[in-house]
Amino acid sequence: MDKWLKKRKLDDNNNIDIVGDLTNEPIPSTSKNSSCSQKYVVSRKYNEDFLKFGFTSTMENYQVVPECVICGSKLSNSSMVPSKLQRHLVTNHPSLATKDKSYFEKSLSLKLKQVKVFEKQISVSGKAQLVSYEIAELLAVKLKPHNLAEEIILPACRKIVKTMIGESADINLSKIPLSNDTIHRRIKDMSQNIEENIAKTLGNSNFALQIDETTDITGKAHLIAFVRFIHENDIINQFLCCRELHEFTTGKNIFNLCIGICTDGAPAMTGHLKGFVALVRELSGDILVTHCFLHREALVTRYLPSELKIVLEQCVKMINYIKSRPLKSRLFTKLDEWPGQRPGFTRVRIYSKNVDLGAMEAKYESLLLHTEVRWLSRGKVLSRVLELKDEMKMFFEQDKNYEFVLLLEDKIWCTKLAYLSDIFVIFNKINSSIQGPNENILTSTDKLVGFQKQITLWKKKAQEGNLERFESVPKDCYKDIKIIVIDHLTALEERIIHYFPKLDIQKYDWVRNPFHITDTSVYDLNLNEEEELILLSNNRDLISKHSEESINSFWININCDYPLIAKRALNILLQFSTSYLCEFGFSALVNIKTKKRARLINVEDNMRVALSHLRPNINEIMKKRQPQISH
């Protein structure tokens, strides 16, 4: 029997000390009491012949034990002897006592196959759950309805794999849970995961807020907020919240939801007594408040002299005359089929898309409607009218609308239109240049200071009769609008000073490059910060590091060595200069909450998953959820 045995030596606390084959040589005792008898535990080995009794082997508590193939019962290691195994078979399975070894081999093989099937089912469930979360995230990012997964994505995928791979793959795809409610829960789980990660990250980090409020398609007011903070080795923008304001959109209601701030000039935000900014400053006077550069730039460019304002209004009136009347639009579409058309005239169509057709000579196909809210439309509207003024003149002649014909034949009116078109194209470029998620005080200030100096240069050139910058204005007609142009540029200079009274790029030079400074006293720093800046500016080892890294990464990496000046620099870099992200979020809200989805409940969850820079940890979420397949 010794060949079936292993021995284990136990110490006084019954802990295993030595394991070895049973031999006749005694093992020295480590017991304190040498008079006590030495303890042994016998570990029996499994033999393949035990299968004829219906037993296989398995591990339990680091020990081999017999397991019944029929009922799955596990006996102790000491029961691994033929007599005890046979007794279990006869006692518990008397009908199988006469079966030979081949019967139990088949039973064991069948059991192993069932285990593999079960493991495969578990594997499929886990993969199906992972795919479910990934598709839910994709729908949220693309701002699509939740039922799209079950109605479009899954049927399309099943048809693809069934055709390209086979029936088995189609069966596995059908097990992915993608119902409307499931996608809803998946998005909620991911939103909570992102929110928890943001809370952990913001716990000990300085941050800046960008907030604004709007009204959705159902008339409900929403406050949206983005936060900018240091994450790992960079400064990132992160969606924070989108909360419904159930009552008034006053500063007090907004204050109860958020802290912090770059916003527009609405009274609810910037009111001196009850505005959100005033309430924030009551708590902390050190909070930097930034009035959105985009909003202020739009206010600067909004002013027009009466002579130019009339031209803009007349252009809008012409466009609305055509675009707001379906019959006029259809006639304008068939303009090339009218009798008496002048030779070589280019056909102009009214379509929703503004693309060139190879078969046509017209650069544009349609006119554009003007809107006061989207100030960028003015430049595009005027440019399109200037491009199509000859075609519009012919249309109004055929339509016998001589009021508009006279305007389009007036050279002075067309010269004013050309100037307006050029100047508003410039405004659009400036406005677009300060939009973007990575804009900060430094970059936006540089662009606006440059714009201010450009206006001064244009005014000087205009006084000299140089219209090179306004290339659409006919040179022979410039003298007729020279005074108007100079007055308009002068007013723009004054309004920039009014809306941007503190544009000073020099006070931020040390943030951009701390190694080329001469006088630290001009930077509005305290004594300790000046001392650190002087030490930093003379550290030549950091010069190459500054040239190789971004500004954000450079100041983050030296935060430990120069904490005071680095903190001051990062506080400047963290500040938002525009409310671009909020406007971007409002566009997402419009796409998420449409007429057909007006009753959507988890708007904030959808927006968080769609707009967040930090992505959800799906593997972490799945550990808390039991995988289930679709039936």
Side-chain angles (χ1 to χ4, degrees):
M1 292 292 293
D2 290 347
K3 67 177 182 178
W4 309 114
L5 303 179
K6 279 188 177 181
K7 72 173 182 182
R8 292 188 181 182
K9 177 186 172 185
L10 302 182
D11 59 17
D12 291 339
N13 297 321
N14 290 330
N15 295 323
I16 298 174
D17 185 23
I18 299 175
V19 178
D21 292 334
L22 186 62
T23 64
N24 296 324
E25 298 179 2
I27 300 176
S29 175
T30 57
S31 174
K32 295 180 181 179
N33 188 0
S34 59
S35 62
C36 295
S37 60
Q38 201 171 35
K39 297 179 181 180
Y40 292 94
V41 62
V42 175
S43 178
R44 301 183 181 275
K45 299 179 181 179
Y46 175 77
N47 188 277
E48 294 182 358
D49 291 338
F50 292 164
L51 191 56
K52 66 182 180 181
F53 303 115
F55 278 88
T56 183
S57 64
T58 186
M59 293 295 296
E60 191 172 74
N61 296 329
Y62 305 101
Q63 196 174 27
V64 179
V65 296
E67 180 182 4
C68 181
V69 175
I70 306 302
C71 63
S73 299
K74 296 179 182 179
L75 307 182
S76 64
N77 179 265
S78 60
S79 299
M80 200 178 298
V81 294
S83 59
K84 293 182 179 181
L85 300 180
Q86 187 176 20
R87 182 171 61 189
H88 174 86
L89 178 63
V90 173
T91 303
N92 295 280
H93 313 290
S95 61
L96 305 177
T98 59
K99 298 293 185 179
D100 57 4
K101 184 179 179 180
S102 61
Y103 174 82
F104 295 108
E105 288 177 346
K106 293 179 182 178
S107 299
L108 179 60
S109 177
L110 180 61
K111 183 178 180 180
L112 293 176
K113 289 181 180 179
Q114 291 175 346
V115 170
K116 290 181 179 179
V117 171
F118 183 71
E119 290 177 348
K120 184 178 179 181
Q121 288 295 107
I122 295 176
S123 176
V124 170
S125 299
K127 292 180 180 179
Q129 185 184 38
L130 176 61
V131 171
S132 179
Y133 273 103
E134 290 177 341
I135 292 179
E137 183 183 12
L138 180 62
L139 288 176
V141 171
K142 297 299 182 182
L143 312 177
K144 298 300 181 182
H146 300 167
N147 59 354
L148 194 65
E150 187 177 30
E151 296 179 0
I152 301 296
I153 296 177
L154 183 59
C157 290
R158 291 187 64 182
K159 287 182 179 295
I160 292 171
V161 300
K162 185 176 181 180
T163 304
M164 302 297 294
I165 302 176
E167 294 284 348
S168 60
D170 175 42
I171 294 173
N172 288 335
L173 281 183
S174 64
K175 298 176 182 178
I176 302 174
L178 292 175
S179 67
N180 183 73
D181 292 339
T182 299
I183 297 298
H184 170 87
R185 291 193 299 270
R186 301 288 192 248
I187 293 176
K188 186 175 182 180
D189 290 344
M190 290 186 287
S191 174
Q192 291 176 351
N193 180 262
I194 294 172
E195 189 173 13
E196 292 172 359
N197 293 335
I198 294 172
K200 294 177 183 177
T201 306
L202 291 179
N204 299 315
S205 176
N206 292 337
F207 61 89
L209 281 179
Q210 180 183 138
I211 63 173
D212 204 353
E213 58 87 20
T214 190
T215 304
D216 64 19
I217 193 171
T218 61
K220 295 180 179 179
H222 291 271
L223 176 75
I224 192 170
F226 282 81
V227 63
R228 177 178 282 177
F229 58 94
I230 298 172
H231 179 66
E232 295 178 350
N233 197 36
D234 200 0
I235 294 176
I236 66 169
N237 303 315
Q238 173 63 37
F239 173 86
L240 186 61
C241 67
C242 178
R243 302 292 171 83
E244 182 179 341
L245 301 176
H246 296 284
E247 299 177 0
F248 300 101
T249 58
T250 61
K252 185 175 181 179
N253 293 90
I254 298 172
F255 176 75
N256 291 333
L257 293 174
C258 299
I259 56 172
I261 181 176
C262 168
T263 185
D264 59 15
M269 295 293 175
T270 59
H272 294 292
L273 299 177
K274 298 181 179 179
F276 174 74
V277 172
L279 294 173
V280 171
R281 280 178 170 161
E282 287 181 4
L283 287 182
S284 175
D286 297 332
I287 292 180
L288 297 176
V289 179
T290 306
H291 185 183
C292 174
F293 279 42
L294 288 172
H295 184 258
R296 285 189 280 175
E297 193 270 345
L299 293 175
V300 169
T301 60
R302 189 167 184 173
Y303 169 76
L304 283 177
S306 58
E307 297 90 342
L308 298 179
K309 188 175 182 181
I310 292 174
V311 174
L312 175 61
E313 292 173 350
Q314 290 170 335
C315 286
V316 173
K317 188 176 180 181
M318 291 180 187
I319 295 168
N320 291 341
Y321 179 81
I322 298 174
K323 296 282 286 184
S324 63
R325 294 170 173 82
L327 176 60
K328 302 298 182 184
S329 295
R330 292 196 299 271
L331 292 175
F332 197 63
T333 303
K334 299 295 183 180
L335 193 60
D336 59 337
E337 299 178 4
W338 287 14
Q341 176 181 319
R342 72 177 187 270
F345 178 71
T346 303
R347 168 169 147 186
V348 182
R349 295 176 181 255
I350 302 294
Y351 291 143
S352 59
K353 295 182 179 179
N354 303 320
V355 295
D356 300 335
L357 294 183
M360 299 182 181
E361 297 177 2
K363 185 177 181 181
Y364 300 105
E365 294 179 334
S366 66
L367 300 173
L368 299 177
L369 287 173
H370 172 263
T371 169
E372 284 291 340
V373 177
R374 297 180 181 177
W375 52 84
L376 291 178
S377 68
R378 288 181 294 182
K380 297 179 180 179
V381 165
L382 294 170
S383 298
R384 189 63 56 85
V385 172
L386 185 65
E387 179 75 19
L388 301 178
K389 61 183 179 64
D390 292 336
E391 288 78 4
M392 292 174 65
K393 177 176 174 293
M394 179 182 179
F395 173 83
F396 291 130
E397 286 175 349
Q398 298 291 344
D399 195 54
K400 298 182 180 181
N401 192 325
Y402 299 112
E403 176 188 358
F404 294 150
V405 172
L406 292 176
L407 290 176
L408 293 171
E409 290 178 344
D410 188 345
K411 290 187 177 181
I412 297 178
W413 188 91
C414 291
T415 304
K416 295 176 182 178
L417 172 63
Y419 169 74
L420 281 176
S421 174
D422 288 343
I423 194 67
F424 276 111
V425 167
I426 295 171
F427 291 161
N428 286 359
K429 290 180 180 179
I430 296 296
N431 195 284
S432 299
S433 69
I434 58 177
Q435 296 183 35
N438 298 320
E439 280 292 308
N440 56 38
I441 296 292
L442 302 182
T443 56
S444 297
T445 301
D446 285 345
K447 293 170 184 176
L448 286 172
V449 168
F451 179 52
Q452 185 179 23
K453 293 181 177 179
Q454 281 182 322
I455 292 176
T456 303
L457 175 64
W458 298 336
K459 177 183 174 181
K460 179 182 178 181
K461 294 295 183 181
Q463 291 172 340
E464 297 173 355
N466 187 340
L467 290 179
E468 185 177 352
R469 187 66 187 87
F470 308 107
E471 53 188 17
S472 298
V473 178
K475 293 182 179 181
D476 57 336
C477 299
Y478 169 67
K479 60 182 181 297
D480 298 321
I481 65 166
K482 178 180 180 180
I483 302 300
I484 298 175
V485 171
I486 295 174
D487 290 344
H488 182 224
L489 294 176
T490 303
L492 288 177
E493 279 184 315
E494 296 172 353
R495 290 174 72 84
I496 286 181
I497 296 173
H498 173 72
Y499 285 107
F500 297 93
K502 298 181 180 180
L503 281 180
D504 185 5
I505 57 177
Q506 294 182 353
K507 67 179 181 180
Y508 296 134
D509 286 345
W510 66 271
V511 180
R512 295 183 177 90
N513 192 342
F515 302 103
H516 290 82
I517 59 173
T518 54
D519 185 7
T520 58
S521 61
V522 301
Y523 298 136
D524 193 22
L525 303 174
N526 60 40
L527 179 60
N528 293 331
E529 291 171 343
E530 282 191 61
E531 290 176 350
E532 282 197 359
L533 181 58
I534 292 173
L535 291 175
L536 172 61
S537 63
N538 289 278
N539 189 338
R540 301 183 65 84
D541 293 335
L542 294 177
I543 295 178
S544 60
K545 188 175 182 180
H546 178 266
S547 60
E548 295 171 357
E549 297 179 345
S550 65
I551 296 179
N552 297 342
S553 299
F554 173 77
W555 287 108
I556 292 172
N557 290 332
I558 66 170
N559 192 27
C560 295
D561 298 327
Y562 304 93
L564 297 178
I565 195 65
K567 181 180 178 181
R568 185 67 178 269
L570 290 173
N571 286 343
I572 295 172
L573 294 171
L574 280 171
Q575 291 299 314
F576 288 105
S577 61
T578 71
S579 59
Y580 167 81
L581 292 174
C582 287
E583 300 297 336
F584 184 75
F586 292 149
S587 299
L589 179 62
V590 169
N591 287 305
I592 290 174
K593 201 166 185 180
T594 61
K595 288 183 178 180
K596 295 183 178 180
R597 304 178 72 191
R599 297 176 63 185
L600 185 65
I601 299 175
N602 60 336
V603 176
E604 184 180 35
D605 293 333
N606 280 265
M607 292 189 67
R608 181 172 289 112
V609 177
L611 303 178
S612 290
H613 182 276
L614 300 178
R615 302 315 304 160
N617 189 335
I618 297 178
N619 293 325
E620 180 181 338
I621 298 172
M622 290 175 59
K623 292 178 182 178
K624 303 176 183 179
R625 297 287 183 269
Q626 181 179 358
Q628 294 179 346
I629 61 175
S630 180
H631 300 288

